[in-house]
Amino acid sequence: METEALLSVTGLKKYFPVRSKMLFKKSTTVVKAVDGLTFTVQSGETLALVGESGCGKSTTANVILGLEKPTEGTVFLEGKNVHELTGQENRTYRRNMQAVFQDPWSSLNPRMKVQEIVGEPLVVNHKEMSSSEVLEKVKQVLTDVGLDPSLMGRYPHEFSGGQRQRIAVAAALVSDPKIIILDEPVSALDVSIRAQIMNMFRDIQDKYHVSYLLIAHDLGTTRYMADKIAVMYLGNIVEYAETEELFEHPLHPYTEALFSAALPSDPDIERDEIILTGEIPSPINPPSGCPFHTRCPKKVGDICEREYPEPGEPTAPGHLVSCHIYRK
Amino acid sequence: MDVKQDPAVQQEQEQGKRIGKIVLEVKDLKTYVRTKRGVIPAVDGVSFYVKQGETFGIVGESGGGKSMTAKSILRMEPKPAASIEGGEILLDGVDLTKLSEKQMRKIRGREISMIFQDPMTSLNPVFTVGNQIGEGLRIYEGKMDKKTLKAKIIELLKKVNVAAPEKRISDYPHEMSGGMKQRAVGAIAISSSPKIIIADEPTTSLDLTIQAQYLRLLREIQEKSGVSIIFITHDFGIVAKMCDRVAVLYSGRIVEQGTVRALFKNPSHPYTHALINSVPKVEKRVDRLYSIPGQPTPAWERKKGCYFANRCEYAVDRCFEAYPPTFDGLSGTEGHLADCWRLEDKTWKPKPYLA
Amino acid sequence: MKKKPMVLDEQPKSKAAVVWSVVRELPIVPILIILIVLIIPTIFAELLAPHNPYSGSLRLRLQPPSFLGGPEGYLLGTDHQGRDILSRMIYGARISSAVAASGILIGGSLGIVFGLMAGYFRGWIDAVVSRLVDITLSIPIILIAIAVATAAGASLGVLVGLVAYYLWGVYTRQTRAETLKWAESQFVKRAQVVGCSKLRIMFKHLLPNMVNTIIVLITLQVGFVIVFEASLSFVGVGVPPPNPAWGLMVSEGRMFVVSAWWVPLFPGMAIMLTVLSFNMLGDWLRDKLDPKLRQV
């Protein structure tokens, strides 16, 4: 009944070994940056991974982008395992999966002209294209992201932060990708520029029918941009739902705490803040059972410490929560 | 989401704050900076005041001049590239622009203390927390015997709600949790009983839940010590949550200032209005964000007239001819000021943006 | 204690004015010295030198400069073989330039390639290269020079080889450090996502961003190479006589310091002025080319 997902991530784990050399013995421990993620992204939709620093959202992005190999689990793009591609298949994957990073100041090579930057994915992966075809395509995407193509002979430092982010988006779009990973794409921009860029992302999605995997920590941005949201904590997804469902009915105690900490958009809004006690535990020795049990204000009992709460039946269509409270 | 929207409750809370007389008054401050493209006005005639116990927000985007304003108040403008070329900074009637560097050193950290980005990294890992709090105390209050010093440190730690301060006093920073470290930094900030704390984007690098803890701590500190806080930020959320009054900076000038509620309910300057509507809301999904076209004009390319005119949807011919005067009494409240030609018409205001 | 008020510029500076303001700050004296003492003699030695630098007349040995009463036509005097010191210095500039240019070219190219590989591939390549660099830079170069020159005989080729051998280590270390820094940047990550080959990332993305550092390094090392050549020649393992190298001239003149001080003094001054000028130019370039200072 369900069509095959564009991107499907199954049981993804990424552990980093940490070697500590004592005088005589060597011991190896692991940081469990990502500890078993499963999710899908459908064609044309936006999924946001939300969480605080250290929750593993950036590592997840790196694995999906093929920059890191997973310790366990698989990433399939259009039915092909992205970590087992060779030759032409790999080039197709590189064309279909693009990324826009956070910092528009360091994500463009200062020594390359805009046309070289934007055209690079074609030069590298579409070897059959002539240089005039590449240039044509570059002009077209620059226009689509709202930049004057006549400026393409300039270097990045001649542009402002917002314009640079548009250049980065143009470079991501040029190979007609199926999905773009947006890693905190607006958090380094000024407030007035953020809205421009977010609106542009939405227009581009309508026009190109591209999917986004949005990595973000700002809740306002995710509510505006995402169709579905996965809330991450310590390398796990604790809650997953459609955006409006999640914001209106957050279930997981961590999601509740996170939402309560969000800054208000109006001085008259006063929330009951749920202040979490304690620290985010170290991913080197994550807590047994539910990773959140050490700070959870609503702990049910021993079971939280013993057993990982597998998400059970959806509480509402497509709303999954990893918490013992909601398991019958 | 769990939202209480009761202005009466809010009102009550504000009255609970003891807001007193004016502590700091900045009058027509001008700070110029020498750049490759010539000398530019980074701060171009900024005037505002801060009352005792009040939280004043200075909000704006990069290049707006908010950090330079803060640095100028502390007389820490990067010399010799930058220099205060006009105006007064009156701290309890003393003009800081006239003081020598030596005299300023007695003000900095003592009368005006400062909290920087990522406050937790400002603790020195090789000294105990008590030691670091005591260091300030000894400088500010002169020599005292160990017993009194210890008592004072414990008192400060109690003020910032550190549990069992007698034990914590000999802890090293790495032995404390993040929340405790925040509190210790807070204790250092108030150890000199300053009149004003300037907080320059103190929470931008923090995670949401940590930021919430920290903002709450600042509030507690203010309630207990009655200190005034100047918040430098780009985030309207922080302004909404923390500030009593706010000034919006654009290209080195305050384009609008007033109480936070007045600004949020009746933004009068098109820039303020646009900014507020361009921030995505957590509380509800907007269909489409307002987006201000273009970007701020660099100072060396500025033409005469209102600096915002080229991005303003309400601009009329006049806006391109001369910089507008400041109008007071907007939204029927005194002290709600804005610089915009359109406000000559008392009934005019930016159209509500329907998303 | 009164300070000059800053006045706002009514008119913004044009791009040309900004470029001009940089040009105006050029360290003009060092550049002039380098041109006069090194570059122009290197190119036009045949035209400029009044006498043959290799042969002189023994009749005219150890004559003082002409402005101190020496013979007409020998502006800076003559050495112990009666050769014109000015002419020898002019040809000596050519030798210094040749040694510096070829040594830096060979050592620099090798170092840049190894540094890029070590910094970008990391792992065992990095380990091997880094240890080799450590070894290269930890053995005193003068010792090696003396050993090699004694075994293989002093020649220009050996000298260039020694310079390249030493600079290889310096460039590798510097390029590796720069590579590590830039490899972290988001544009390199983006290039990986796009699917650029490692070769393309190294030479298209990383190398162009190190050009500034490399230029500064080269400028600062011309001085070093000249001193190095001079010291080797001074101890007798550098440029073989009768070639007119500056260091060799100082060395040959050292026994006449008291009787004919001009013999070692003028080549010594040439060395000092050139090295000093290159160091000043290098410092200036470092200030100007530092990307952090380049932003307005």
Side-chain angles (χ1 to χ4, degrees):
Chain A
M1 80 187 190
E2 209 176 311
T3 49
E4 198 188 349
L6 175 69
L7 177 79
S8 94
V9 173
T10 315
L12 187 72
K13 291 185 181 178
K14 180 68 192 173
Y15 296 170
F16 293 100
V18 192
R19 281 188 200 92
S20 57
K21 268 188 212 162
M22 296 302 207
L23 197 49
F24 294 109
K25 59 174 183 195
K26 264 190 204 170
S27 66
T28 307
T29 46
V30 289
V31 173
K32 299 183 175 178
V34 176
D35 203 10
L37 292 192
T38 300
F39 61 84
T40 58
V41 181
Q42 305 294 332
S43 172
E45 78 172 7
T46 303
L47 171 71
L49 298 181
V50 179
E52 299 183 279
S53 48
C55 72
K57 54 190 198 294
S58 291
T59 308
T60 309
N62 285 347
V63 175
I64 293 173
L65 286 168
L67 299 174
E68 311 254 14
K69 284 219 177 319
T71 309
E72 226 178 85
T74 53
V75 178
F76 279 81
L77 182 70
E78 292 197 299
K80 298 223 166 72
N81 186 332
V82 306
H83 294 99
E84 291 169 0
L85 301 175
T86 48
Q88 184 53 44
E89 275 186 341
N90 191 44
R91 276 201 285 279
T92 311
Y93 155 63
R94 291 294 174 198
R95 283 199 309 242
N96 284 336
M97 169 99 68
Q98 292 289 334
V100 173
F101 296 110
Q102 174 178 11
D103 182 3
W105 298 104
S106 85
S107 68
L108 305 179
N109 186 340
R111 298 282 173 172
M112 280 164 85
K113 288 179 183 165
V114 169
Q115 64 190 64
E116 292 179 275
I117 293 172
V118 176
E120 188 165 48
L122 298 181
V123 172
V124 173
N125 293 320
H126 282 254
K127 303 208 180 219
E128 74 285 356
M129 278 177 90
S130 73
S131 53
S132 62
E133 283 172 322
V134 169
L135 219 54
E136 248 346 276
K137 184 76 190 170
V138 167
K139 280 183 193 161
Q140 187 216 318
V141 286
L142 282 174
T143 315
D144 284 345
V145 299
L147 281 175
D148 179 358
S150 69
L151 304 178
M152 68 185 183
R154 300 200 179 176
Y155 287 91
H157 73 261
E158 298 177 65
F159 295 88
S160 68
Q163 287 174 317
R164 287 166 147 254
Q165 205 60 318
R166 287 174 194 268
I167 295 169
V169 175
L173 275 178
V174 78
S175 59
D176 291 314
K178 300 271 166 51
I179 182 166
I180 304 180
I181 314 279
L182 306 176
D183 191 353
E184 302 274 8
V186 296
S187 59
L189 302 174
D190 262 326
V191 181
S192 76
I193 310 296
R194 276 184 200 177
Q196 289 176 10
I197 300 294
M198 279 192 269
N199 286 344
M200 177 196 68
F201 279 127
R202 287 179 33 170
D203 297 341
I204 294 280
Q205 188 162 45
D206 290 343
K207 178 161 183 186
Y208 283 75
H209 203 67
V210 61
S211 304
Y212 293 138
L213 178 64
L214 173 69
I215 313 283
H217 71 278
D218 182 65
L219 295 175
T221 306
T222 34
R223 187 160 199 179
Y224 185 61
M225 296 272 298
D227 300 311
K228 291 173 187 161
I229 294 179
V231 181
M232 289 184 69
Y233 184 79
L234 266 186
N236 290 276
I237 292 176
V238 296
E239 188 163 6
Y240 175 90
E242 292 193 357
T243 305
E244 288 310 297
E245 162 71 15
L246 186 75
F247 275 97
E248 294 304 324
H249 309 287
L251 296 177
H252 197 282
Y254 176 67
T255 316
E256 285 180 319
L258 197 63
F259 284 3
S260 82
L263 292 167
S265 62
D266 187 300
D268 287 342
I269 296 171
E270 189 76 16
R271 294 196 184 90
D272 287 327
E273 267 174 33
I274 304 167
I275 296 287
L276 295 177
T277 51
E279 301 286 290
I280 299 179
S282 157
I284 294 179
N285 253 324
S288 58
C290 171
F292 190 55
H293 81 79
T294 54
R295 304 169 77 199
C296 184
K298 293 185 175 172
K299 205 170 126 183
V300 207
D302 291 347
I303 186 161
C304 298
E305 291 166 31
R306 277 200 325 269
E307 202 179 310
Y308 180 78
E310 292 296 339
E313 286 298 299
T315 55
H319 193 159
L320 296 171
V321 56
S322 272
C323 179
H324 287 293
I325 299 173
Y326 303 97
R327 287 177 75 197
K328 286 163 197 116
Chain B
M1 287 188 85
D2 202 7
V3 169
K4 261 197 260 165
Q5 209 154 355
D6 189 354
V9 174
Q10 179 85 1
Q11 207 73 41
E12 216 173 59
Q13 282 175 347
E14 267 174 23
Q15 277 158 1
K17 264 178 151 179
R18 294 150 297 164
I19 293 181
K21 60 177 189 6
I22 292 177
V23 216
L24 179 80
E25 184 162 20
V26 174
K27 286 183 181 166
D28 200 27
L29 179 70
K30 290 187 168 129
T31 307
Y32 294 170
V33 181
R34 195 182 303 282
T35 70
K36 272 188 190 169
R37 313 295 293 266
V39 176
I40 57 156
V43 180
D44 195 9
V46 160
S47 303
F48 62 89
Y49 63 88
V50 182
K51 287 181 173 172
Q52 192 197 345
E54 184 181 45
T55 306
F56 186 72
I58 298 181
V59 63
E61 300 181 85
S62 51
K66 54 189 194 307
S67 271
M68 194 58 86
T69 306
K71 284 181 186 142
S72 301
I73 293 172
L74 286 157
R75 299 297 316 281
M76 283 165 73
E77 71 278 6
K79 294 158 213 158
S83 141
I84 295 178
E85 290 297 328
E88 296 175 340
I89 302 166
L90 301 170
L91 179 72
D92 272 344
V94 179
D95 187 355
L96 301 186
T97 64
K98 302 247 166 21
L99 296 188
S100 68
E101 176 57 28
K102 201 174 163 190
Q103 289 168 309
M104 262 323 284
R105 246 175 273 153
K106 292 196 176 133
I107 306 260
R108 254 180 245 138
R110 190 175 307 191
E111 310 262 321
I112 307 178
S113 94
M114 184 120 189
I115 298 175
F116 295 98
Q117 288 197 11
D118 198 0
M120 269 84 89
T121 55
S122 59
L123 286 176
N124 187 335
V126 300
F127 292 109
T128 64
V129 168
N131 211 320
Q132 296 185 55
I133 301 171
E135 191 187 4
L137 277 175
R138 253 175 316 207
I139 297 172
Y140 304 129
E141 300 193 5
K143 277 195 179 139
M144 59 184 97
D145 60 90
K146 273 189 181 167
K147 234 177 163 180
T148 344
L149 183 67
K150 193 174 174 189
K152 289 203 172 194
I153 297 171
I154 289 172
E155 193 188 322
L156 274 172
L157 285 172
K158 270 187 192 150
K159 255 191 190 167
V160 292
N161 286 343
V162 170
E166 298 82 3
K167 286 184 189 131
R168 287 290 168 198
I169 196 166
S170 51
D171 275 4
Y172 285 90
H174 69 266
E175 296 173 293
M176 304 176 97
S177 69
M180 278 304 167
K181 273 191 256 181
Q182 283 182 357
R183 288 173 189 277
V185 173
I188 293 173
I190 57 167
S191 64
S192 61
S193 337
K195 294 186 178 118
I196 298 175
I197 296 176
I198 296 183
D200 190 355
E201 305 263 14
T203 60
T204 35
S205 55
L206 302 182
D207 272 323
L208 216 48
T209 53
I210 312 290
Q211 171 177 275
Q213 283 175 13
Y214 197 64
L215 294 178
R216 169 175 286 202
L217 169 71
L218 283 176
R219 259 195 194 161
E220 286 169 10
I221 287 177
Q222 187 170 45
E223 274 160 26
K224 289 204 178 133
S225 64
V227 67
S228 314
I229 300 178
I230 298 180
F231 244 108
I232 313 280
T233 180
H234 66 277
D235 193 333
F236 267 100
I238 291 198
V239 173
K241 186 171 178 146
M242 298 293 291
C243 298
D244 302 306
R245 285 187 311 116
V246 58
V248 181
L249 274 165
Y250 188 78
S251 295
R253 293 210 188 210
I254 293 181
V255 293
E256 182 163 2
Q257 68 173 308
T259 64
V260 169
R261 182 161 304 106
L263 248 78
F264 272 87
K265 299 296 169 197
N266 288 303
S268 298
H269 195 284
Y271 177 63
T272 318
H273 180 254
L275 267 191
I276 289 173
N277 282 304
S278 66
V279 181
K281 294 177 172 39
V282 193
E283 296 86 3
K284 82 180 214 285
R285 185 175 185 128
V286 289
D287 282 338
R288 195 161 178 90
L289 290 177
Y290 185 87
S291 90
I292 309 175
Q295 59 241 348
T297 320
W300 53 83
E301 284 168 17
R302 248 175 243 155
K303 310 241 170 15
K304 61 181 178 169
C306 172
Y307 299 158
F308 187 60
N310 59 339
R311 302 174 76 191
C312 179
E313 62 172 304
Y314 305 101
V316 290
D317 289 350
R318 198 167 187 183
C319 303
F320 296 94
E321 281 153 19
Y323 192 84
T326 304
F327 294 93
D328 194 355
L330 304 166
S331 68
T333 43
E334 204 180 319
H336 184 179
L337 318 166
D339 294 3
C340 177
W341 279 116
R342 300 297 298 264
L343 296 170
E344 263 185 325
D345 174 2
K346 290 269 182 294
T347 57
W348 186 85
K349 58 178 176 180
K351 290 191 288 273
Y353 180 72
L354 294 173
Chain C
M1 194 33 236
K2 227 173 149 186
K3 63 178 183 134
K4 229 168 68 191
M6 259 191 209
V7 184
L8 283 185
D9 286 324
E10 288 296 326
Q11 285 292 319
K13 285 189 189 168
S14 64
K15 278 221 159 139
V18 174
V19 171
W20 172 239
S21 71
V22 174
V23 171
R24 224 177 32 196
E25 289 171 37
L26 276 175
I28 212 74
V29 174
I31 289 177
L32 276 180
I33 292 178
I34 291 169
L35 277 175
I36 294 172
V37 180
L38 193 72
I39 312 271
I40 295 176
T42 300
I43 303 171
F44 302 110
E46 287 85 355
L47 298 175
L48 292 173
H51 297 276
N52 186 326
Y54 294 98
S55 62
S57 149
L58 285 179
R59 233 175 352 103
L60 289 172
R61 56 198 297 268
L62 297 178
Q63 292 296 320
S66 58
F67 54 87
L68 290 174
E72 222 32 51
Y74 293 89
L75 187 64
L76 300 180
T78 61
D79 66 4
H80 59 291
Q81 292 188 25
R83 295 171 297 197
D84 177 35
I85 289 178
L86 178 64
S87 303
R88 281 181 68 75
M89 278 172 61
I90 288 173
Y91 277 88
R94 184 173 275 182
I95 288 181
S96 293
S97 312
V99 171
S102 40
I104 288 175
L105 188 74
I106 297 169
S109 314
L110 284 174
I112 287 166
V113 171
F114 279 111
L116 274 171
M117 286 189 351
Y120 191 63
F121 292 133
R122 309 293 303 274
W124 67 268
I125 298 183
D126 187 22
V128 171
V129 170
S130 294
R131 288 301 82 72
L132 280 176
V133 170
D134 289 345
I135 293 169
T136 307
L137 297 182
S138 60
I139 304 174
I141 184 69
I142 289 282
L143 277 186
I144 295 188
I146 293 173
V148 172
T150 326
S155 74
L156 274 180
V158 168
L159 186 58
V160 169
L162 282 168
V163 170
Y165 160 78
Y166 184 75
L167 291 187
W168 166 81
V170 176
Y171 277 84
T172 304
R173 194 172 266 183
Q174 197 72 35
T175 314
R176 177 180 171 273
E178 284 281 301
T179 307
L180 289 178
K181 186 182 91 188
W182 286 108
E184 293 290 307
S185 70
Q186 291 193 349
F187 70 79
V188 170
K189 194 171 165 189
R190 223 175 53 79
Q192 290 167 336
V193 169
V194 163
C196 294
S197 64
K198 291 195 159 93
L199 219 58
R200 187 180 167 92
I201 290 177
M202 281 196 285
F203 288 97
K204 182 90 190 163
H205 289 272
L206 291 170
L207 186 57
N209 282 292
M210 303 176 193
V211 166
N212 288 352
T213 314
I214 292 169
I215 288 177
V216 173
L217 207 55
I218 288 176
T219 321
L220 289 171
Q221 267 159 4
V222 175
F224 160 77
V225 175
I226 290 174
V227 170
F228 183 61
E229 175 260 315
S231 349
L232 291 191
S233 301
F234 189 83
V235 296
V237 292
V239 182
N243 284 309
W246 290 349
L248 185 63
M249 292 169 74
V250 176
S251 163
E252 287 172 347
R254 69 183 188 276
M255 38 243 205
F256 313 109
V257 168
V258 183
S259 56
W261 49 263
W262 53 87
V263 180
L265 178 75
F266 293 116
M269 274 177 62
I271 293 170
M272 191 199 80
L273 283 177
T274 322
V275 173
L276 192 65
S277 301
F278 269 108
N279 285 347
M280 284 167 69
L281 184 65
D283 283 345
W284 182 82
L285 278 174
R286 185 171 45 200
D287 290 348
K288 284 293 146 187
L289 297 181
D290 191 318
K292 268 179 235 133
L293 294 174
R294 263 171 61 186
Q295 276 167 23
V296 180

